[in-house]
Amino acid sequence: MSVRTLKGNRRWLALGGCLLWLAFTLFPLYWVAITSFKTPLAVVGGPTYLPFGDFEPSLTAWNELVSGQRGQFYNTFIASLIVSLSAAVLATGIGAMAAYALVRFTFRFRLLSALIFVVIAFGGFLLGRNVLGFGQGISLIYAFIAALALAVISSRFRLPGPELGNNDIVFWFVSQRMFPPIVAAFALYLMYTEVGKLGFKLVDSYIGLTFAYIAFSLPIVVWLMRDFFEALPVEVEEAAMVDNVPTWRIFFGIVLPMSKPGLIATFMITLAFVWNEFLFALFLTSSKWQTLPILVAGQNSQRGDEWWSISAAALVAIIPMVVMAGLLSRLMRSGLLLGAIK
């Protein structure tokens, strides 16, 4: 039901309710915006609402932010932009391929193969670390390679125990988000530190932070894209298979264009998660590749939280996502209309 279909007082009541809800949702943004233009005295002196009426606007917070007094603003903004876009694009691409495979192909493996991977991985690490005298980084790499190889080889045999399928794989992907992020962040920091001792720097690096965000985002991407692919008509793909079209061309030339709205929506959600993520950036960066949430959280001093500086930094973090959502929403709507026409 639309407001336009209502008549008389019901229409005005519905319109008034929508305006109240709009004001309720926009007021926090308005409050952050005007606070960023207040002086410290105007902030601590009591609530004021109207620029040039209740208070005289000032660019103090913005000058401090842009000049670098409140942290490396330009470096932090560029780092956030590069890492977020890279992680969102790669996670959406990899997750889309995984989701399509889980929808169109049947996978079967024994639970015992997964247990073999876990046992060999932990046992190999302990063996290399405590018996053979290898370092933690070398032991971790060797144990992972050996566990993966044995698990793949064992899956080719008819092992005893329950057999798992596509739904179990999807559940495993989604279950990765059930763990507290602090556990994964601390484990990643320890692993990155050990790998850094081998000469591959991952802490406070573009590759390390991007890889962490890709792994963090993949479960959501696989879960969302799986539903989009299941809704696509399989007859189009079957017709292409009759003409001996390769599977990779079917995926890139037929499936992805048909799922354009789903890809854009998934990319927007992934980008929002990565752009606003705080914990991994806090653990895995120190200076060069710190992101905007770290800059926003650092806008304080010995006198306490300085809300004028926090508001200016928060607006910098909010505006790019609003612009990106506006641009991509247009593409998503055009994709929906194109799919409807086809």
Side-chain angles (χ1 to χ4, degrees):
M1 180 180 293
S2 173
V3 175
R4 296 178 180 178
T5 61
L6 299 176
K7 302 295 183 181
N9 294 332
R10 295 181 61 189
R11 181 176 183 178
W12 291 109
L13 288 174
L15 182 61
C18 292
L19 292 176
L20 285 176
W21 180 252
L22 179 65
F24 178 77
T25 55
L26 292 182
F27 181 77
L29 292 177
Y30 172 76
W31 188 255
V32 170
I34 64 172
T35 303
S36 67
F37 291 100
K38 292 181 181 180
T39 62
L41 290 178
V43 173
V44 301
T48 51
Y49 303 93
L50 298 176
F52 300 104
D54 296 338
F55 68 93
E56 190 67 26
S58 172
L59 295 176
T60 301
W62 290 97
N63 290 332
E64 292 179 351
L65 184 67
V66 174
S67 64
Q69 299 181 35
R70 293 290 177 177
Q72 298 297 324
F73 165 70
Y74 293 107
N75 294 340
T76 303
F77 183 83
I78 296 299
S80 286
L81 193 63
I82 294 175
V83 171
S84 299
L85 289 176
S86 301
V89 170
L90 292 173
T92 304
I94 298 172
M97 289 187 282
Y100 178 75
L102 290 171
V103 170
R104 293 292 186 254
F105 304 101
T106 301
F107 295 91
R108 290 284 183 264
F109 67 96
R110 296 288 180 177
L111 179 61
L112 186 57
S113 297
L115 295 178
I116 289 174
F117 176 84
V118 174
V119 171
I120 297 300
F122 280 97
F125 174 76
L126 295 176
L127 178 65
R129 184 73 178 90
N130 300 322
V131 177
L132 300 179
F134 295 149
Q136 292 187 12
I138 294 294
S139 300
L140 182 66
I141 294 174
Y142 285 168
F144 176 79
I145 294 175
L148 183 61
L150 289 176
V152 172
I153 294 173
S154 65
S155 64
R156 298 181 178 273
F157 297 94
R158 298 181 62 86
L159 300 176
E163 188 180 60
L164 305 180
N166 291 32
N167 290 333
D168 300 293
I169 297 174
V170 173
F171 176 77
W172 179 83
F173 270 109
V174 177
S175 68
Q176 306 307 303
R177 297 304 299 269
M178 297 180 184
F179 294 100
I182 185 65
V183 177
F186 186 66
L188 277 175
Y189 175 77
L190 294 178
M191 185 179 70
Y192 281 9
T193 303
E194 294 300 326
V195 174
K197 295 177 182 178
L198 302 177
F200 302 98
K201 183 181 179 182
L202 294 178
V203 177
D204 198 23
S205 70
Y206 163 75
I207 295 178
L209 190 59
T210 303
F211 279 177
Y213 283 148
I214 291 174
F216 173 74
S217 305
L218 272 177
I220 293 296
V221 175
V222 172
W223 181 43
L224 292 175
M225 289 307 302
R226 178 173 175 263
D227 291 337
F228 281 110
F229 288 143
E230 283 183 339
L232 296 179
V234 71
E235 292 80 10
V236 180
E237 301 173 45
E238 292 175 346
M241 291 179 184
V242 172
D243 295 333
N244 293 323
V245 179
T247 304
W248 66 269
R249 286 189 59 187
I250 293 176
F251 177 72
F252 288 103
I254 298 176
V255 175
L256 288 187
M258 291 175 61
S259 59
K260 178 181 175 182
L263 282 172
I264 295 175
T266 303
F267 174 78
M268 289 173 56
I269 294 172
T270 305
L271 182 64
F273 276 143
V274 176
W275 182 268
N276 297 316
E277 203 283 324
F278 175 80
L279 192 61
F280 285 100
L282 179 65
F283 269 81
L284 303 180
T285 63
S286 57
S287 58
K288 184 177 180 180
W289 287 98
Q290 282 188 343
T291 55
L292 281 174
I294 307 298
L295 179 69
V296 175
Q299 301 305 306
N300 51 30
S301 66
Q302 295 179 351
R303 296 171 295 182
D305 295 327
E306 300 185 350
W307 295 108
W308 50 95
S309 298
I310 294 176
S311 299
L315 275 182
V316 172
I318 292 172
I319 291 175
M321 285 303 303
V322 173
V323 174
M324 184 71 69
L327 294 176
L328 293 180
S329 63
R330 282 178 167 270
L331 293 176
M332 187 166 62
R333 287 196 297 270
S334 64
L336 286 171
L337 292 176
L338 182 62
I341 293 174
K342 287 182 179 179

Short mmCIF file of all heavy atoms in Angstrom, two decimals, residues 5 17 19 23 50 54 63 84 92 114 142 155 163 171 190 199 204 218 221 227 245 276 290 292 295 297-298 328:
data_model
loop_
_atom_site.label_atom_id
_atom_site.label_comp_id
_atom_site.label_asym_id
_atom_site.label_seq_id
_atom_site.Cartn_x
_atom_site.Cartn_y
_atom_site.Cartn_z
N THR A 5 -2.29 6.11 -2.47
CA THR A 5 -3.58 5.42 -2.62
C THR A 5 -4.56 5.77 -1.50
O THR A 5 -5.74 5.45 -1.60
CB THR A 5 -3.38 3.90 -2.65
OG1 THR A 5 -2.78 3.48 -1.42
CG2 THR A 5 -2.45 3.51 -3.81
N GLY A 17 3.30 10.70 9.65
CA GLY A 17 4.13 9.65 10.27
C GLY A 17 5.42 9.43 9.51
O GLY A 17 6.48 9.23 10.13
N LEU A 19 7.03 11.68 7.72
CA LEU A 19 7.90 12.83 7.97
C LEU A 19 8.54 12.76 9.35
O LEU A 19 9.72 13.11 9.52
CB LEU A 19 7.10 14.12 7.81
CG LEU A 19 6.64 14.46 6.39
CD1 LEU A 19 5.78 15.71 6.38
CD2 LEU A 19 7.85 14.64 5.46
N ALA A 23 12.52 12.59 10.08
CA ALA A 23 13.22 13.48 10.99
C ALA A 23 13.97 12.70 12.07
O ALA A 23 15.10 13.05 12.45
CB ALA A 23 12.23 14.45 11.63
N LEU A 50 20.90 25.46 16.05
CA LEU A 50 20.82 26.20 14.80
C LEU A 50 22.09 27.02 14.58
O LEU A 50 22.41 27.90 15.40
CB LEU A 50 19.61 27.14 14.79
CG LEU A 50 18.24 26.46 14.91
CD1 LEU A 50 17.15 27.52 14.99
CD2 LEU A 50 18.00 25.54 13.72
N ASP A 54 21.88 29.78 17.36
CA ASP A 54 22.31 29.40 18.71
C ASP A 54 23.82 29.49 18.90
O ASP A 54 24.30 29.67 20.01
CB ASP A 54 21.87 27.96 19.02
CG ASP A 54 20.35 27.84 19.05
OD1 ASP A 54 19.69 28.87 19.25
OD2 ASP A 54 19.85 26.72 18.84
N ASN A 63 39.91 22.24 10.35
CA ASN A 63 41.29 22.66 10.13
C ASN A 63 42.27 21.73 10.83
O ASN A 63 43.32 21.37 10.28
CB ASN A 63 41.49 24.10 10.63
CG ASN A 63 40.78 25.10 9.74
OD1 ASN A 63 40.60 24.86 8.54
ND2 ASN A 63 40.39 26.24 10.30
N SER A 84 39.29 -1.12 1.44
CA SER A 84 37.87 -1.45 1.40
C SER A 84 37.43 -1.87 0.00
O SER A 84 36.74 -2.90 -0.17
CB SER A 84 37.04 -0.26 1.87
OG SER A 84 37.35 0.08 3.20
N THR A 92 33.62 -10.33 -3.16
CA THR A 92 32.41 -10.54 -3.96
C THR A 92 32.68 -11.46 -5.13
O THR A 92 31.87 -12.35 -5.44
CB THR A 92 31.86 -9.19 -4.46
OG1 THR A 92 31.63 -8.32 -3.34
CG2 THR A 92 30.56 -9.38 -5.22
N ALA A 114 37.58 -34.30 6.89
CA ALA A 114 37.73 -33.05 7.64
C ALA A 114 38.46 -33.29 8.97
O ALA A 114 39.29 -32.48 9.38
CB ALA A 114 36.36 -32.44 7.90
N TYR A 142 54.16 -25.88 6.87
CA TYR A 142 54.30 -27.30 6.54
C TYR A 142 53.09 -28.10 7.00
O TYR A 142 52.60 -28.99 6.28
CB TYR A 142 55.57 -27.86 7.19
CG TYR A 142 56.85 -27.43 6.50
CD1 TYR A 142 58.09 -27.63 7.09
CD2 TYR A 142 56.82 -26.82 5.26
CE1 TYR A 142 59.26 -27.23 6.47
CE2 TYR A 142 57.97 -26.40 4.63
CZ TYR A 142 59.19 -26.63 5.23
OH TYR A 142 60.35 -26.24 4.60
N SER A 155 39.78 -37.91 0.58
CA SER A 155 38.40 -37.73 0.13
C SER A 155 38.08 -38.54 -1.12
O SER A 155 36.91 -38.70 -1.47
CB SER A 155 38.14 -36.25 -0.14
OG SER A 155 38.95 -35.78 -1.21
N GLU A 163 28.43 -38.77 5.36
CA GLU A 163 28.80 -38.03 4.16
C GLU A 163 28.16 -36.65 4.20
O GLU A 163 26.97 -36.50 4.50
CB GLU A 163 28.35 -38.79 2.91
CG GLU A 163 28.87 -38.19 1.61
CD GLU A 163 28.40 -38.98 0.40
OE1 GLU A 163 27.17 -39.09 0.22
OE2 GLU A 163 29.26 -39.49 -0.33
N PHE A 171 26.62 -24.25 5.53
CA PHE A 171 26.55 -24.04 6.98
C PHE A 171 27.93 -23.79 7.56
O PHE A 171 28.08 -22.96 8.47
CB PHE A 171 25.91 -25.25 7.65
CG PHE A 171 25.88 -25.16 9.15
CD1 PHE A 171 24.94 -24.36 9.80
CD2 PHE A 171 26.81 -25.85 9.92
CE1 PHE A 171 24.94 -24.26 11.17
CE2 PHE A 171 26.81 -25.75 11.30
CZ PHE A 171 25.87 -24.95 11.93
N LEU A 190 48.93 -13.17 15.68
CA LEU A 190 50.01 -14.09 16.00
C LEU A 190 50.55 -14.75 14.74
O LEU A 190 51.78 -14.90 14.57
CB LEU A 190 49.52 -15.15 16.99
CG LEU A 190 49.13 -14.66 18.39
CD1 LEU A 190 48.62 -15.82 19.24
CD2 LEU A 190 50.31 -13.98 19.08
N GLY A 199 60.24 -13.14 6.68
CA GLY A 199 60.53 -12.16 5.65
C GLY A 199 59.33 -11.66 4.88
O GLY A 199 59.48 -10.83 3.97
N ASP A 204 50.48 -4.51 9.56
CA ASP A 204 50.54 -3.14 9.06
C ASP A 204 50.93 -3.11 7.59
O ASP A 204 51.79 -2.34 7.16
CB ASP A 204 51.51 -2.29 9.88
CG ASP A 204 51.26 -0.80 9.67
OD1 ASP A 204 50.14 -0.42 9.28
OD2 ASP A 204 52.20 -0.01 9.89
N LEU A 218 33.85 -13.33 3.21
CA LEU A 218 33.43 -14.43 2.34
C LEU A 218 32.18 -15.16 2.82
O LEU A 218 31.31 -15.49 1.99
CB LEU A 218 34.58 -15.43 2.16
CG LEU A 218 35.55 -15.12 1.02
CD1 LEU A 218 36.68 -16.14 0.99
CD2 LEU A 218 34.82 -15.09 -0.32
N VAL A 221 29.15 -13.18 1.74
CA VAL A 221 29.00 -13.15 0.29
C VAL A 221 28.45 -14.48 -0.22
O VAL A 221 27.52 -14.50 -1.05
CB VAL A 221 30.36 -12.83 -0.37
CG1 VAL A 221 30.23 -12.91 -1.89
CG2 VAL A 221 30.83 -11.44 0.03
N ASP A 227 21.54 -17.45 -2.55
CA ASP A 227 20.11 -17.23 -2.71
C ASP A 227 19.80 -16.57 -4.06
O ASP A 227 18.78 -16.89 -4.70
CB ASP A 227 19.57 -16.36 -1.58
CG ASP A 227 19.59 -17.08 -0.24
OD1 ASP A 227 19.59 -18.33 -0.25
OD2 ASP A 227 19.64 -16.41 0.81
N VAL A 245 28.80 -24.53 -24.84
CA VAL A 245 29.45 -23.35 -24.28
C VAL A 245 30.19 -23.74 -23.00
O VAL A 245 29.61 -24.42 -22.15
CB VAL A 245 28.41 -22.24 -23.97
CG1 VAL A 245 29.08 -21.01 -23.38
CG2 VAL A 245 27.66 -21.88 -25.25
N ASN A 276 33.56 0.01 7.79
CA ASN A 276 33.29 0.35 9.20
C ASN A 276 33.98 -0.58 10.19
O ASN A 276 33.83 -0.38 11.39
CB ASN A 276 31.78 0.30 9.45
CG ASN A 276 31.03 1.33 8.63
OD1 ASN A 276 31.44 2.48 8.53
ND2 ASN A 276 29.92 0.92 8.04
N GLN A 290 46.48 2.19 8.85
CA GLN A 290 45.33 2.38 9.73
C GLN A 290 44.16 2.96 8.94
O GLN A 290 44.34 3.73 8.01
CB GLN A 290 45.70 3.30 10.89
CG GLN A 290 46.48 2.63 11.99
CD GLN A 290 46.65 3.51 13.20
OE1 GLN A 290 46.47 4.72 13.13
NE2 GLN A 290 47.01 2.91 14.32
N LEU A 292 39.92 4.55 8.75
CA LEU A 292 39.16 5.66 9.32
C LEU A 292 38.54 5.36 10.69
O LEU A 292 38.50 6.25 11.54
CB LEU A 292 38.08 6.12 8.34
CG LEU A 292 38.57 7.01 7.19
CD1 LEU A 292 37.45 7.27 6.21
CD2 LEU A 292 39.12 8.33 7.73
N LEU A 295 41.00 6.27 13.18
CA LEU A 295 41.16 7.72 13.28
C LEU A 295 40.03 8.34 14.09
O LEU A 295 40.27 9.22 14.92
CB LEU A 295 41.20 8.33 11.88
CG LEU A 295 41.34 9.85 11.80
CD1 LEU A 295 42.73 10.27 12.27
CD2 LEU A 295 41.10 10.35 10.38
N ALA A 297 38.18 6.86 16.41
CA ALA A 297 38.31 6.47 17.82
C ALA A 297 39.45 7.21 18.51
O ALA A 297 39.43 7.34 19.74
CB ALA A 297 38.55 4.96 17.92
N GLY A 298 40.41 7.71 17.74
CA GLY A 298 41.55 8.38 18.36
C GLY A 298 41.37 9.87 18.56
O GLY A 298 42.32 10.56 18.95
N LEU A 328 25.52 3.18 -6.50
CA LEU A 328 25.29 1.77 -6.77
C LEU A 328 23.80 1.41 -6.74
O LEU A 328 23.38 0.47 -7.41
CB LEU A 328 26.06 0.91 -5.76
CG LEU A 328 27.58 0.98 -5.89
CD1 LEU A 328 28.24 0.09 -4.83
CD2 LEU A 328 28.04 0.56 -7.28
#
